[in-house]
Amino acid sequence: MHAETKSIHFPTRRSNGSIAPPIELSTTFEHGPAGEHLHGFEYIRDNNPNVSDLESRLAAIEGADGAVAFASGMAAGAALLSRLSPGARVLFHEDLYFDFRKLADRILPNWGLECESVDLTDATARSRAFAKSVDLVWFETPSNPSIDVLDIETICREARDANADVLVDGTFATPVVQRPLDLGANYVLHSLTKYMGGHSDVQGGAIAFKGDASIADALKEKRRLTGGVLSPFNAWLISRGIQTLYCRMDRHCANARLVAEALDGSSGITRVRYPYLPSHPSYDIARKQMLSGGAMISIELEGGKEAAIRVAASVKLFVNATSLGGVESLIEHRASVEGPESTTPPGLLRLSIGLENPDDLIEDLKSALAAA
Ligand SMILES: *Cc1c(COP(=O)(O)O)cnc(C)c1O
């Protein structure tokens, strides 16, 4: 069965013949007099039918052996990192989701983890980093917000030789565009808050993995003991979002490609960062591992920070807001939002391309560029 079919039909849990699955709000489930499980569920912090439905659906579309869902992408990532023992060394790609960078700077050292920021697009930098022992390699591809594209297959091969695991944060690509587990990754992280939910109205996160059930058990234990549990309603909303994910991604990606091509070479813009533009430094890798260019674009303005903020102030259809992956197009000056610790180029604007008519999006950006 194809993944798009699974995204709609899997799993099918019907009550009274209902086509839409019910939402199970119960915090507790009947057990036997000696605590025997009667229905597979016990207490909401351990598990819940809507959360398990979502996990099965995610594993099915990702081609994973299992998936564990959390209250947010951050909770999912933190649960995985908390499995490492003190002394473990983690390599992060230098362009990293800003809150994971803060986690690596402020919290992971307290757990005894040694975190190193490396340009993982650079083979020499990688071989230098792999010269010392490495436990986990962690990168986004495409990365947030610089849209770096990293060679999943090559990095996984090098990591395997070094006895390290690999986590790919696939939030920007979704399983529709890219399947890191098929290319050798051990884990895929998704912020379900983005394309999976798809409507800017629900938060969640997940780790999908290759390996035996002990991985799911360990992640679920972390979830239970640290409490980053997804609510049944949020799980239900995200499962519903996934049913239209394939359809939405087609349109998101087609729109984004048109917008990227229209902006490429425009006056006032020094660089359009989009994986499926031949000018992208990793264009060949993007063509090899991504079915399309995704729907996130970053542009760099010739006039730097001031020009970028003027463009962000001049758009009428794009909304200035953080996050991504919803039906509506968003624009954001990341350096301003990230604050003084930001390493994002000051002239960079990040665009999340929505499902509007692409001509309207292009016209909005072109007039904002002309006005700025
Ligand atoms: C948003 C995001 C996260 C964090 O997810 P939350 O659901 O906000 O906790 C992690 N990685 C990437 C690439 C993201 O865009």
Side-chain angles (χ1 to χ4, degrees):
M1 200 189 286
H2 293 85
E4 11 340 15
T5 309
K6 289 182 188 166
S7 77
I8 290 166
H9 286 286
F10 194 82
T12 322
R13 192 168 54 82
R14 298 209 163 107
S15 150
N16 301 316
S18 64
I19 298 302
I23 306 175
E24 305 270 2
L25 294 175
S26 189
T27 57
T28 186
F29 297 82
E30 182 189 18
H31 61 58
E36 310 92 322
H37 273 203
L38 299 178
H39 307 283
F41 296 95
E42 189 177 351
Y43 182 55
I44 191 169
R45 186 154 39 73
D46 299 323
N47 213 346
N48 161 278
N50 291 102
V51 173
S52 329
D53 282 357
L54 171 63
E55 290 169 341
S56 309
R57 200 178 287 270
L58 281 169
I61 62 171
E62 192 73 63
D65 292 328
V68 181
F70 292 84
S72 65
M74 290 305 298
L80 186 85
L81 288 159
S82 74
R83 292 192 65 210
L84 297 173
S85 305
R89 185 157 163 265
V90 187
L91 300 184
F92 290 100
H93 177 54
E94 61 180 13
D95 188 50
L96 183 66
Y97 178 66
F98 195 58
D99 277 344
F100 277 124
R101 173 177 310 287
K102 283 195 191 151
L103 187 79
D105 288 347
R106 306 214 180 133
I107 297 197
L108 302 185
N110 297 337
W111 297 356
L113 303 183
E114 195 189 319
C115 302
E116 200 175 317
S117 177
V118 179
D119 178 3
L120 292 175
T121 63
D122 177 349
T124 318
R126 290 201 304 271
S127 69
R128 209 178 310 125
F130 280 123
K132 277 201 280 172
S133 93
V134 178
D135 296 278
L136 179 66
V137 182
W138 178 301
F139 60 89
E140 298 152 16
T141 185
S143 70
N144 186 0
S146 293
I147 320 290
D148 293 343
V149 172
L150 284 82
D151 188 332
I152 300 172
E153 202 169 16
T154 302
I155 297 173
C156 288
R157 192 173 52 243
E158 293 171 0
R160 209 164 32 247
D161 290 345
N163 261 325
D165 285 343
V166 174
L167 176 140
V168 176
D169 181 337
T171 299
F172 274 25
T174 81
V176 177
V177 170
Q178 173 179 281
R179 308 240 305 187
L181 298 177
D182 293 347
L183 300 173
N186 304 83
Y187 307 103
V188 178
L189 182 144
H190 290 291
S191 168
L192 305 174
T193 317
K194 315 295 169 56
Y195 292 102
M196 301 273 197
H199 296 77
S200 309
D201 56 9
V202 60
Q203 182 148 60
I207 303 278
F209 62 88
K210 279 277 190 213
D212 61 43
S214 68
I215 299 174
D217 292 344
L219 288 170
K220 285 180 182 170
E221 182 181 54
K222 296 288 179 197
R223 181 175 69 186
R224 173 156 46 92
L225 300 182
T226 56
V229 176
L230 189 61
S231 81
F233 183 56
N234 286 1
W236 183 89
L237 274 176
I238 296 163
S239 275
R240 184 170 80 159
I242 290 173
Q243 291 184 310
T244 56
L245 178 69
Y246 284 79
C247 202
R248 283 184 288 109
M249 286 312 285
D250 275 356
R251 179 64 176 265
H252 275 298
C253 297
N255 277 0
R257 190 165 182 180
L258 291 170
V259 171
E261 285 169 357
L263 295 180
D264 199 22
S266 293
S267 75
I269 297 183
T270 51
R271 196 167 152 200
V272 177
R273 299 167 181 244
Y274 183 68
Y276 261 37
L277 280 183
S279 58
H280 191 285
S282 304
Y283 175 68
D284 293 339
I285 299 167
R287 296 297 302 216
K288 186 178 72 166
Q289 69 188 21
M290 300 171 75
L291 276 182
S292 75
M296 295 300 296
I297 304 172
S298 287
I299 58 175
E300 266 178 75
L301 279 292
E302 199 170 19
K305 177 179 174 183
E306 285 68 31
I309 292 176
R310 276 199 305 274
V311 171
S314 308
V315 286
K316 301 210 157 54
L317 187 54
F318 278 80
V319 182
N320 276 272
T322 202
S323 199
L324 56 115
V327 295
E328 61 290 299
S329 292
L330 303 179
I331 189 166
E332 184 166 60
H333 184 244
R334 283 300 292 171
S336 292
V337 172
E338 292 174 353
E341 288 168 64
S342 173
T343 53
T344 300
L348 182 146
L349 288 172
R350 191 186 71 185
L351 309 176
S352 170
I353 303 300
L355 302 182
E356 301 91 340
N357 183 294
D359 294 340
D360 294 335
L361 298 175
I362 293 166
E363 191 186 303
D364 190 37
L365 291 167
K366 292 251 174 181
S367 355
L369 281 161

